């Protein structure tokens, strides 16, 4: 049997697995991804990605490609209720009202793009960066030990087997994760709330749409009750309907004939030519794994948390899992961090997964009109859920990102600064290594940070943020609006240290746990703590 060695084996080649491969390859980590299906998703599945997710794609050079692919969805902004697409409209409201209010928070915007179109872009970028992606290959078995994981994979068509030795295994193999089940990791939560089947179809929707464009359509008539979404060609869509095994219903009931009848009823055009492209069964559930780290195996995406889709948090949370995990794996594998850094993946991401799952369930209750007044009040703004959380905080887990000012554990704020004759977002400084940002009087912190990082073998860039009239310099960023101090709640002689994932890890104005140190000693101590060294 052929054998090979790889730093990271990724199991699962959907959105989260592919994102993991992209982020790992971006950090220079060689990985092997195996996916039992022959290619990327043929089903639309997830469709909406919040600005924070787009920021993560921007950081690996994908923003331009995804925006181009999503251009046709730009006018798909209305959520509506209808008797049928061609029939009576019961309500309509704009999905993205208030989006302009985010201009000061992020350079990115909400992205509408079906999963079957996003996955090929992720796949191409992962391969371009050097990831080894093997579709039509499934995980047969694995065994973890103190030093790594030995896995056996097989080609689905030929049965040819291959043994892989990896330092770490990332399980991104979905809600029914075979890896999680083999590890015996329990899940908590409300469990399965309902069972659904998504019916992907081809039909001419132009006449029924009558010039309108929808992000989501709620259909309710005597023949069908469900959710309908359509793409930008107006020829492809998905109808999501519920079925109940307790009433004797099963997936076997959804024959091509029945699916065609349901789609025609939802569109409201009898006899309309319809082609059923695929059926995708799934469970609406609220479940979170009790641990995301099990020795050398790490859970991500739906393998770690199953989130009701009503808030659109599932894919977004999973991609953020991958982003958090990738830089930590890279640091541990390169020897610049201790193995304890990977334990922080569970400590940081599990509370966020639980928050997102709970918020998805609350959104479901509100939309189904079963929410109590207290539950309605507990629903959070989507931007707070996706970019306003704080790692390591028990009482301050989530807040409006507009109120975040570079507290430790939070996403470093976006701010436009002048650099090299142009303008850049602070977010574009992050992603390769650590970044220290200091006020105009913080030159000492910049020197100290570079010295400390060199002594530890850590990649770090240091910049001073100075007024617009200051002379140019390679380590200077010019603040034309004088907004840096307020945005980062920082004095002129202060500094913040930002991790490769764009989260603030240390501030110079934090109380020191030890007696007074030099600036270099303070940064060295901070880096050692962050990197578990």
């Amino acid at each position: 049997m052929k054998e090979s060695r790889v730093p990271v084996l990724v199991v699962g080649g959907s959105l989260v697995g592919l994102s993991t491969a992209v982020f790992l390859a971006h950090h220079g980590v060689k990985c092997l991804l195996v996916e039992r299906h022959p290619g990327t998703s043929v089903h639309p599945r997830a469709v909406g990605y919040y600005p924070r997710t787009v920021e993560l794609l921007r950081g690996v050079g994908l923003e331009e490609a995804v925006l181009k692919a999503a251009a046709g969805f730009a006018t798909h902004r209305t959520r509506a209720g209808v008797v049928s697409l061609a029939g009576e409209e019961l309500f309509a409201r704009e999905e993205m009202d208030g989006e302009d209010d985010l201009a000061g928070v992020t350079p990115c915007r909400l992205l509408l793009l079906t999963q079957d179109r996003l996955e090929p872009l992720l796949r191409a970028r992962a391969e371009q960066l050097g990831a080894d992606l093997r579709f039509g290959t499934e995980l047969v078995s694995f065994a973890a030990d103190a030093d790594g994981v030995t896995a056996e994979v097989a080609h689905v068509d030929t049965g040819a087997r291959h043994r892989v030795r990896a330092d770490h295994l990332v399980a991104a193999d979905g809600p029914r994760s075979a890896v999680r089940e083999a590890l015996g990791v329990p899940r908590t939560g409300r469990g399965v709330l309902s069972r659904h089947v998504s019916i992907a179809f081809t039909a001419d929707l132009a006449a029924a749409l009558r010039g309108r464009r929808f992000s989501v359509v709620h259909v309710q008539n005597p023949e069908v009750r469900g959710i309908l979404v359509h793409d930008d060609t107006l020829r492809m869509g998905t109808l999501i309907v519920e079925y109940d095994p307790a009433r004797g219903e099963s997936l076997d009931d959804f024959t091509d004939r029945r699916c065609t009848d349901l789609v025609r009823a939802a569109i409201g055009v009898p006899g309309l030519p319809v082609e059923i492209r695929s059926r995708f069964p799934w469970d609406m559930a609220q479940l979170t794994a009790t641990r995301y780290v099990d020795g050398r195996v790490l859970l991500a995406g739906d393998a770690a948390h199953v989130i009701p889709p009503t808030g659109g948090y599932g894919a977004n949370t999973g991609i953020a899992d991958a982003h958090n995990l990738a830089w930590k794996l890279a640091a541990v594998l390169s020897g610049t961090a201790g193995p304890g850094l990977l334990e922080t993946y569970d400590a940081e991401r599990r509370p966020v997964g639980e928050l997102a799952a709970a918020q998805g369930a609350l959104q479901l209750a509100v939309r189904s009109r079963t929410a109590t007044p207290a539950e309605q009040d507990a629903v959070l703004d989507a931007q707070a859920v996706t970019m306003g959380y704080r790692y390591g905080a028990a009482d301050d887990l989530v807040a409006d990102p507009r109120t975040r000012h570079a507290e430790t554990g939070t996403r470093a704020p976006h701010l436009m600064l002048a650099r090299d004759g142009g303008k850049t977002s602070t977010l574009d400084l992050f992603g390769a290594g650590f970044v220290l940002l200091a006020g105009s009087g913080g030159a000492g912190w910049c020197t100290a940070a570079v010295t400390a990082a060199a002594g530890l073998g850590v990649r770090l860039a240091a910049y001073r943020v100075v007024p617009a009239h200051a002379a140019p310099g390679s380590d200077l960023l010019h603040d034309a609006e004088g907004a840096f101090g307020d945005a980062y709640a920082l004095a002129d002689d202060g500094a913040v240290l930002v991790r490769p994932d764009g989260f603030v890890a240390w501030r110079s104005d934090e109380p020191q746990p030890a007696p007074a140190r030099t600036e270099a000693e303070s940064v060295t101590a901070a880096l050692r703590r962050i990197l578990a060294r």
Side-chain angles (χ1 to χ4, degrees), residues 445-472:
W445 284 117
C446 292
T447 302
V450 171
T451 300
L456 294 172
V458 174
R459 185 175 182 179
L460 181 146
Y463 303 94
R464 258 194 315 142
V465 182
V466 299
H469 57 74

Side-chain angles (χ1 to χ4, degrees), residues 258-394:
R258 186 184 177 206
C259 288
T260 298
D261 290 343
L262 291 171
V263 169
R264 284 174 176 162
I267 297 171
V269 180
L272 180 72
V274 173
E275 176 191 352
I276 303 302
R277 295 190 293 117
S278 65
R279 284 166 288 267
F280 180 78
W282 56 277
D283 295 339
M284 183 177 293
Q286 181 190 350
L287 290 164
T288 306
T290 56
R291 60 183 183 274
Y292 286 15
V293 179
D294 192 295
R296 294 284 181 143
V297 182
L298 308 110
L299 309 180
D302 286 351
H305 44 70
V306 184
I307 300 172
T310 37
Y313 297 131
N316 290 273
T317 305
I319 292 171
D321 290 342
H323 192 255
N324 180 286
L325 182 56
W327 80 269
K328 294 176 177 177
L329 281 168
V332 170
L333 287 164
S334 69
T336 59
L341 178 62
L342 288 177
E343 295 298 327
T344 68
Y345 171 65
D346 176 86
E348 292 182 349
R349 292 306 303 172
R350 187 153 50 88
V352 174
E354 291 169 350
L355 168 72
Q359 285 295 310
L362 287 172
Q363 292 268 12
L364 176 62
V366 169
R367 291 183 184 176
S368 62
R369 300 182 180 180
T370 62
T372 65
E375 288 174 330
Q376 293 177 33
D377 291 341
V379 175
L380 298 172
D381 177 78
Q383 306 312 325
V385 176
T386 54
M387 72 166 74
Y389 49 82
R390 183 178 187 181
Y391 292 144

Side-chain angles (χ1 to χ4, degrees), residues 415 479-488:
L415 188 67
D479 182 11
E481 305 297 327
F484 177 70
D486 289 339
Y488 279 72

Side-chain angles (χ1 to χ4, degrees), residues 480-506:
E481 305 297 327
F484 177 70
D486 289 339
Y488 279 72
L490 206 62
D492 283 348
D493 60 352
V496 296
L497 183 65
V498 182
R499 307 187 319 191
D501 62 347
F503 277 73
V504 177
W506 170 86

